[in-house]
């Protein structure tokens, strides 16, 4: 181990690259800009417009599902997933402890109780073995997450859900384009929720979608998504009634028509985006697999990740030094969310629980850049920087 190595840029040496490589860049092309411009110039710029409907049609086609609803975030879609069910207050929802806050916020916003379950220390997805012991007679739902775009073990999760009659809200925020046992991520559960936030594989700046094959849920989502009005039916056929009414509780989760246009042109590129991400990930894995102080992502056995993220599992005590050292070499890297129970708001939910794998996973995790517009030279520089920096801490 030689953290003082003078060849490292952090110690005054020459950096691998002088053109700093940022952690993420959305894949926005001239075509996207053209589509957005056309939509702005149309007379319809507000919510649930014709481009939103067309984007929903394209999403349905791509996934092979009955219903897709474009929302202004995945958080909103997750909220809707519970809003349209009448679970008694205090009913329990199983949530993996390693996830973004939204997976837990959605049940909490609907007066439900969150029960945290630990994840696998090697991939951050919910630990299947721990699910059943968390189920009580109050459990009504489970919300698995596909961390980094790598599918959770949905076969086992759905079997457990069926056995205990649980509603499954699959948080697929990160996994558009991923596959589990030959099926696309986003089609497996009662409800699936995608994110099109700026960092996701396809983006509408902010945005999300609720996907379901359940007609009853879909009918309620149409109303709850648009402030509890029956405006959806009115837009469908304004002649039928001539006005719309306030028919239930709801929230404002429709998305602008401008962003619907962006969604259409982004979705058209999903296969090339996923293919380039796979190529980059394969290169990193080839180049980095023999570094003894490093563990690389372990894709789910029956799944195909969309490589939303590429992460390295490094010795925890050197994690922040590694991030600084990579930065000095000209490569951005970053941590990711910390386990829910380590955040002030969720602290109580972790009391008395064994959540050590989430802590182990998080404490080792560093994300490195992965996005389609990275050039071959850039990915070479990223791998070279990782090798150079990790070389100093090889044990
Ligand atoms: C697992 C997970 N769920 C939900 C969200 C929330 O997505 P949004 O920002 O679209 O609300 C994110 C965002 O990164 C996420 O990673």
């Amino acid at each position: 181990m030689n953290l003082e190595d003078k060849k490292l840029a952090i110690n005054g040496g020459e950096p691998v690259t002088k053109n700093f490589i940022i952690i993420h860049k959305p894949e926005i092309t001239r075509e996207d800009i053209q589509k957005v411009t056309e939509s702005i110039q149309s007379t319809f710029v507000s919510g649930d417009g014709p481009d939103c409907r067309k984007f929903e049609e394209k999403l349905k086609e791509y996934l092979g599902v009955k219903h897709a609803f474009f929302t202004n975030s995945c958080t909103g879609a997750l909220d809707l997933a519970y809003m349209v069910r009448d679970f008694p207050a205090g009913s329990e929802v199983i949530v993996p402890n390693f996830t973004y806050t939204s997976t837990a916020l959605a049940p909490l916003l609907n007066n439900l109780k969150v029960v945290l379950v630990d994840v696998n220390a090697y991939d951050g997805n919910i630990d299947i073995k721990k699910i059943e012991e968390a189920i009580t007679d109050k459990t009504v739902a489970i919300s698995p997450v596909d961390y980094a775009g790598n599918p959770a073990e949905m076969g086992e999760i759905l079997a457990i859900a069926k056995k205990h009659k649980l509603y499954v809200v699959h948080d697929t925020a990160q996994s558009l384009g991923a596959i589990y046992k030959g099926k696309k991520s986003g089609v497996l559960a009662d409800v699936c929720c995608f994110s099109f936030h700026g960092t996701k594989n396809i983006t509408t700046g902010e945005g999300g979608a609720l996907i379901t094959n359940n007609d009853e849920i879909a009918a309620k989502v149409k109303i709850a998504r648009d402030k509890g009005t029956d405006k959806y039916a009115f837009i469908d056929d304004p002649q039928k009634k001539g006005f719309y009414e306030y028919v239930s509780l709801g929230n404002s989760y429709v998305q602008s028509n401008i962003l619907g246009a962006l969604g259409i042109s982004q979705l058209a590129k999903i296969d090339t985006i996923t293919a380039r991400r796979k190529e980059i990930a394969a290169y990193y894995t080839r180049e980095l697999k023999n570094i003894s102080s490093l563990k690389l992502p372990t894709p789910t056995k029956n799944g195909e990740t969309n490589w939303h993220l590429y992460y390295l599992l490094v010795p925890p005590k050197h994690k922040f030094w590694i991030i600084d050292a990579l930065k000095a070499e000209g490569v951005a890297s970053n941590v990711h969310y910390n386990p829910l129970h380590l955040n002030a708001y969720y602290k109580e939910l972790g009391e008395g629980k064994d959540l050590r794998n989430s802590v182990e996973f998080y404490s080792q995790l560093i994300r490195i850049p992965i996005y389609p517009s990275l050039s071959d030279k850039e990915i070479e520089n990223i791998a070279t920087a990782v090798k150079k920096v990790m070389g100093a801490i090889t044990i």
Side-chain angles (χ1 to χ4, degrees), residues 73-75 78 99-100 102-103 145 171 173-174 195 197 200 207 337:
S73 67
C74 177
T75 307
L78 289 164
T99 185
Y100 194 59
S102 310
T103 324
V145 175
D171 183 337
Q174 304 175 14
S195 172
H197 174 259
K200 299 302 185 293
Y337 37 69

Side-chain angles (χ1 to χ4, degrees), residues 184-204:
K184 288 197 173 107
S185 187
V187 307
L188 296 160
D190 295 308
V191 170
C192 300
C193 299
F194 287 113
S195 172
F196 306 125
H197 174 259
T199 55
K200 299 302 185 293
N201 289 21
I202 69 162
T203 184
T204 56

Side-chain angles (χ1 to χ4, degrees), residues 279-290 296 310 387:
E279 211 171 73
I280 298 170
Y283 177 82
Y284 288 159
T285 302
R286 254 193 332 269
E287 290 295 310
L288 306 177
K289 67 174 189 285
N290 293 326
L296 303 180
Y310 196 98
K387 282 189 260 187

Side-chain angles (χ1 to χ4, degrees), residues 29-283:
T29 58
R30 214 177 310 155
E31 197 194 10
D32 292 313
I33 295 166
Q34 177 64 28
K35 293 283 180 218
V36 167
T37 307
E38 282 167 20
S39 188
I40 291 172
Q41 286 166 340
S42 79
T43 55
F44 208 138
V45 293
S46 49
D48 197 19
D51 285 333
C52 297
R53 294 288 178 98
K54 190 168 164 202
F55 178 42
E56 290 170 346
E57 286 305 313
K58 295 280 174 196
L59 262 177
K60 285 196 281 185
E61 215 175 279
Y62 172 72
L63 294 168
V65 289
K66 279 170 90 174
H67 307 283
F69 297 99
F70 189 28
T71 56
N72 45 17
S73 67
C74 177
T75 307
L78 289 164
D79 185 16
L80 283 170
Y82 298 97
M83 202 188 291
V84 297
R85 298 295 307 260
D86 289 319
F87 294 125
S91 299
E92 293 172 1
V93 178
I94 292 176
V95 170
N97 188 43
F98 188 72
T99 185
Y100 194 59
T101 186
S102 310
T103 324
L105 279 182
L108 292 174
L109 285 167
N110 290 280
N111 301 315
L112 305 171
K113 195 178 155 208
V114 164
V115 175
L116 298 177
V117 166
D118 207 5
V119 298
N120 304 316
Y122 54 89
D123 70 0
N125 280 342
I126 195 161
D127 182 344
I128 304 300
K129 298 184 293 304
K130 307 235 169 92
I131 296 175
E132 284 206 281
E133 49 195 69
I135 295 175
T136 70
D137 55 3
K138 285 197 176 155
T139 311
V140 290
I142 176 164
S143 192
V145 175
D146 297 340
Y147 181 67
N150 179 43
E153 283 289 2
M154 288 307 290
E156 276 100 327
I157 294 168
L158 293 172
I160 295 170
K162 192 169 175 200
K163 180 171 157 197
H164 296 274
K165 299 192 172 56
L166 305 181
Y167 180 53
V168 183
V169 179
H170 192 179
D171 183 337
T172 51
Q174 304 175 14
S175 60
L176 187 72
I179 292 171
Y180 179 79
K181 290 192 177 169
K183 290 192 174 157
K184 288 197 173 107
S185 187
V187 307
L188 296 160
D190 295 308
V191 170
C192 300
C193 299
F194 287 113
S195 172
F196 306 125
H197 174 259
T199 55
K200 299 302 185 293
N201 289 21
I202 69 162
T203 184
T204 56
E206 297 282 349
L210 183 149
I211 310 295
T212 185
N213 276 318
N214 182 312
D215 296 340
E216 207 179 312
I217 289 174
K220 289 185 179 169
V221 167
K222 283 177 184 171
I223 290 166
R225 182 183 61 161
D226 208 348
K227 293 142 286 223
T229 71
D230 60 1
K231 193 169 165 190
Y232 190 98
F234 171 71
I235 291 175
D236 255 358
D237 183 4
Q239 303 311 320
K240 209 158 38 190
K241 204 159 70 168
F243 62 96
Y244 64 86
E245 285 183 80
Y246 316 141
V247 292
S248 85
L249 274 178
N251 214 321
S252 187
Y253 291 154
V254 285
Q255 180 70 296
S256 159
N257 199 49
I258 302 167
L259 298 174
L262 184 54
I264 297 165
S265 59
Q266 284 276 299
L267 186 61
K269 292 184 282 220
I270 182 78
D271 290 340
T272 49
I273 287 174
T274 310
R276 177 64 181 153
R277 283 174 172 273
K278 272 188 189 161
E279 211 171 73
I280 298 170
Y283 177 82

Side-chain angles (χ1 to χ4, degrees), residues 6-10 12-20 325-331 381 384-385 388:
K6 291 283 177 276
K7 286 200 220 65
L8 294 172
I10 196 170
E14 228 3 67
V16 170
T17 173
K18 292 199 170 89
N19 298 319
F20 192 75
L326 285 172
K327 189 172 170 194
E329 299 297 344
V331 174
N381 284 339
T384 303
K388 187 177 169 190

